[in-house]
């Protein structure tokens, strides 16, 4: 964060310059542009080569440069984060609008999106939506020039004919990007709402996630009971989405985090807790001390079984302490920067909001909020099973991690099974033990699988399963590994 410009050095090597001219820099070099107003509060990010670090003490140095000697103020802030693992790559990345402050220019896209995230953008597909700041330049001209989005159902769904709104499929999820920035799109009978109804009616995916910019429910840095564009989205767009079976809505605009209970039919202005149906007024959390997951009885799209609404406008900017954060449909609200991770496995969706200090969502110290939605019959026991080894020699020990989770409110007695098998059908049972988990609890362990010295060479599959006698297998996971 800099006012006006800055150059950053790690152990004497320049690693980043922001709002500074190219070429040699000294103490007389002026910043490229003056910085004021909201631009003074924007963090500019970059990745740093860890090879520049040295054993022992490292020195991170920052030069702040003014636009001129007469500049009235100077400031900077900086944080450096390191991680010891490579992380888990996301399958896709959703952007909820206002992607490039302040006016959505081509240069702002370069500075806010492409410069900070070169590695991520080479490896993770980016699916954006329009925000009110993005359309300030040529009605979103740079957005449309930079992005190539599916107008003809190239990635699934129904053709929209425009990049302003579109849909796509990924795995068992149907994603819908809606345009909240243009008043005409938000009106009953509009081309967008006609397309939206047709698109939702056509999908057979297990999950439907919709996203856009203007929050239909918020008491954050914006008020959804007082602003026309937010009211339009609630009164005109939500009935179409909920009738189409949407499960989760992600929005921005308010620069904070707010997450609703499972609701349906809350369209009135002002919104009160008596306006619609509280499908499940619990917290949706499945760890000890929580209320348990939100349950939707139908697997696949079904009208009006409830939707969770999350305002995740705090991923790039946060206005702490500037809002009441007391909307009646919200289960949880918070200030502070953070990002949401979605993990969908079959009929279960887990959402986790992590703060800016998080290296992994598995670190409980940086989890701000979490909730779970289960579709169909609630599965009582979930199994996690992984290994960081995929090639072994006869006689080696294969390390693996196993995790168990009970998301119900009752004690669960079950059996844990472990066996290996060859593709040709040869199978060996390795382990069968009884276990029990308390209500809304989990357990994990790190184990080792010793391979016999005479195990046949080839590709094997290691399978772990949890089951209940008389009921059957509840969950199973496999790991393929090679003995050579």
């Amino acid at each position: 964060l800099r006012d006006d410009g800055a150059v950053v050095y790690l152990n004497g090597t320049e690693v980043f310059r922001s709002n500074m001219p190219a070429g040699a820099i000294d103490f007389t070099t002026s910043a490229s542009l003056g910085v004021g107003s909201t631009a003074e509060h924007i963090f500019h990010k970059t990745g740093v080569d860890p090879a520049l670090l040295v054993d022992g003490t490292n020195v991170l140095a920052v030069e702040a440069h003014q636009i001129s000697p007469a500049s009235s103020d100077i400031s900077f802030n900086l944080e450096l984060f390191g991680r010891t693992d490579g992380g888990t790559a996301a399958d896709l990345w959703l952007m909820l609008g206002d992607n490039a402050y302040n006016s959505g220019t081509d240069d702002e896209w370069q500075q806010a999106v492409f410069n900070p995230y070169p590695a991520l953008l080479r490896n993770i597909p980016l699916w954006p939506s329009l925000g009110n700041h993005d359309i300030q330049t040529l009605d979103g001209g740079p957005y449309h020039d930079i992005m190539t989005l599916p107008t003809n159902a190239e990635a699934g769904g129904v053709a929209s004919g425009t990049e302003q709104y579109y849909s796509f499929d990924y795995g068992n999820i149907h994603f819908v990007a809606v345009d909240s920035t243009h008043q005409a799109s938000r009106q009953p009978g509009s081309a967008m709402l006609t397309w939206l109804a047709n698109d939702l009616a056509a999908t057979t995916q297990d999950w439907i996630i919709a996203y856009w910019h203007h929050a239909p429910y918020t008491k954050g840095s914006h008020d959804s009971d007082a602003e026309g564009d937010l009211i339009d989205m609630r009164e005109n767009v939500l009935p179409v989405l909920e009738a189409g079976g949407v499960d989760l809505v992600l929005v921005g605009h308010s620069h904070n985090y707010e997450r609703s209970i499972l609701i349906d039919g809350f369209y009135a202005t002002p919104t009160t807790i008596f306006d619609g149906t509280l499908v499940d007024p619990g917290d949706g959390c499945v760890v000890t001390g929580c209320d348990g997951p939100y349950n939707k009885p139908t697997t696949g799209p079904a009208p009006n079984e409830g939707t969770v609404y999350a305002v995740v406008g705090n991923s790039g900017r946060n206005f702490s302490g500037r809002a009441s954060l007391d909307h009646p449909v919200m289960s949880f609200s918070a200030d502070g920067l953070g990002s949401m991770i979605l993990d969908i496995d079959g009929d279960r969706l887990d959402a986790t909001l992590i703060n800016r200090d998080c290296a992994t969502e598995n670190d409980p110290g940086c989890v701000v909020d979490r909730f779970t939605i289960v579709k169909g019959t609630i599965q009582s026991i979930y199994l996690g099973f992984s290994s960081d080894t995929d090639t072994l020699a006869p006689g080696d020990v294969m390390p693996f991690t196993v995790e168990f989770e009970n998301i119900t409110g009752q004690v669960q007695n079950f059996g844990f099974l472990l066996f290996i098998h060859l593709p040709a059908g040869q199978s060996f049972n390795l382990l069968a033990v009884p276990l029990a988990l308390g209500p809304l609890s989990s357990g994990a362990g790190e184990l080792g699988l010793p391979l016999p010295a005479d195990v046949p060479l080839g590709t094997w599959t290691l399978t772990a399963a949890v089951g209940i006698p008389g009921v059957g297998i509840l969950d199973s996971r496999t790991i393929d590994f090679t003995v050579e």
Side-chain angles (χ1 to χ4, degrees):
L1 182 152
R2 77 291 186 271
D3 178 4
D4 294 297
V7 186
V8 183
Y9 302 86
L10 178 59
N11 294 323
T13 299
E14 181 181 328
V15 294
F16 190 41
R17 66 173 66 185
S18 182
N19 193 29
M20 294 294 296
I25 298 288
D26 64 23
F27 71 95
T28 65
T29 306
S30 297
S32 299
L33 298 169
V35 174
S37 187
T38 58
E40 296 180 9
H41 307 290
I42 299 174
F43 276 86
H44 302 266
K45 302 178 183 179
T46 191
V48 178
D49 185 353
L52 295 174
L53 296 171
V54 299
D55 290 338
T57 301
N58 289 264
V59 177
L60 189 66
V62 180
E63 297 174 2
H65 291 252
Q66 298 283 66
I67 185 64
S68 75
S71 179
S72 62
D73 61 351
I74 184 170
S75 64
F76 87 96
N77 196 355
L78 178 141
E79 290 178 317
L80 176 67
F81 296 99
R83 58 190 304 162
T84 57
D85 58 29
T88 301
D91 294 302
L92 52 88
W93 176 3
L94 305 180
M95 298 184 83
L96 307 180
D98 282 2
N99 310 304
Y101 274 94
N102 264 340
S103 306
T105 65
D106 187 274
D107 182 66
E108 287 170 343
W109 272 91
Q110 188 67 41
Q111 297 297 323
V113 178
F114 295 104
N115 287 351
Y117 305 111
L120 289 178
L121 291 169
R122 282 194 291 267
N123 294 282
I124 303 176
L126 176 63
W127 297 93
S129 58
L130 278 168
N132 52 289
H133 283 268
D134 300 315
I135 64 170
Q136 289 186 14
T137 298
L138 301 174
D139 195 29
Y143 170 95
H144 294 293
D145 289 342
I146 292 166
M147 299 295 169
T148 301
L149 302 170
T151 63
N152 198 34
E154 296 92 337
V158 171
S160 67
T162 176
E163 289 184 321
Q164 289 183 196
Y165 49 87
Y166 61 92
S167 63
F168 66 96
D169 293 330
Y170 188 88
N172 65 337
I173 315 160
H174 185 63
F175 289 92
V176 183
V178 178
D179 174 28
S180 64
T181 62
H182 293 89
Q183 185 178 22
S185 295
R186 306 188 300 257
Q187 302 311 307
S190 68
M192 183 182 79
L193 293 189
T194 300
W195 164 82
L196 181 60
N198 293 334
D199 180 79
L200 295 174
T203 188
T204 58
Q205 298 290 85
D206 295 335
W207 295 91
I208 303 175
I209 297 175
Y211 62 102
W212 63 85
H213 186 62
H214 293 88
Y217 306 110
T218 180
K219 291 292 184 179
S221 57
H222 292 272
D223 185 346
S224 58
D225 289 334
E227 301 177 31
D229 38 13
L230 283 66
I231 294 170
D232 284 349
M233 294 304 294
R234 180 174 64 256
E235 294 183 351
N236 302 333
V237 180
L238 297 198
V240 179
L241 287 167
E242 293 180 352
V246 66
D247 301 296
L248 175 65
V249 167
L250 303 173
V251 291
H253 202 46
S254 276
H255 292 293
N256 43 261
Y257 176 75
E258 301 165 276
R259 191 264 297 175
S260 79
I261 55 182
L262 189 67
I263 61 174
D264 182 73
F266 283 80
Y267 310 138
T269 303
T271 305
T272 75
I273 202 65
F274 307 107
D275 293 331
T277 301
L278 301 175
V279 180
D280 187 337
D283 57 23
C285 175
V286 297
V287 300
T288 303
C290 291
D291 298 329
Y294 297 127
N295 180 231
K296 301 185 68 172
T298 305
T299 300
N304 304 105
E305 287 190 355
T307 305
V308 173
Y309 293 85
V311 181
V312 195
N314 61 331
S315 296
R317 174 180 290 190
N318 179 243
F319 290 161
S320 296
R322 302 190 189 182
S324 60
L325 297 180
D326 60 355
H327 197 284
V329 305
M330 295 302 172
S331 172
F332 181 83
S333 301
D335 280 325
L337 289 167
S339 297
M340 178 175 280
I341 298 171
L342 296 178
D343 186 2
I344 295 178
D345 186 358
D347 58 3
R348 174 174 172 171
L349 178 152
D350 291 285
T352 307
L353 185 80
I354 59 173
N355 66 29
R356 64 181 302 171
D357 300 326
C358 250
T360 168
E361 70 270 30
N362 296 319
D363 178 0
C366 58
V367 171
V368 180
D369 181 40
R370 65 171 91 227
F371 64 92
T372 296
I373 305 173
V374 176
K375 306 191 77 171
T377 303
I378 292 183
Q379 180 177 314
S380 57
I381 299 292
Y382 283 85
L383 174 68
F385 188 52
S386 61
S387 176
D388 57 7
T389 301
D390 57 12
T391 303
L392 300 100
D396 285 350
V397 175
M398 178 180 184
F400 62 90
T401 299
V402 63
E403 301 169 273
F404 309 99
E405 183 182 15
N406 174 15
I407 68 168
T408 72
Q410 295 80 40
V411 173
Q412 294 293 330
N413 295 287
F414 61 99
F416 173 56
L417 314 174
L418 191 65
F419 56 93
I420 58 174
H421 55 94
L422 288 169
Q426 190 177 10
S427 179
F428 300 93
N429 292 326
L430 301 175
L431 185 68
V433 296
L435 296 171
L437 278 178
L440 296 172
S441 64
S442 60
E446 295 182 358
L447 303 174
L449 171 65
L451 297 181
D454 58 351
V455 65
L457 305 182
T459 300
W460 290 74
T461 298
L462 176 63
T463 298
V466 289
I468 296 178
V471 176
I473 299 297
L474 300 178
D475 201 2
S476 64
R477 295 290 186 269
T478 62
I479 297 172
D480 291 329
F481 65 97
T482 301
V483 180
E484 62 182 24

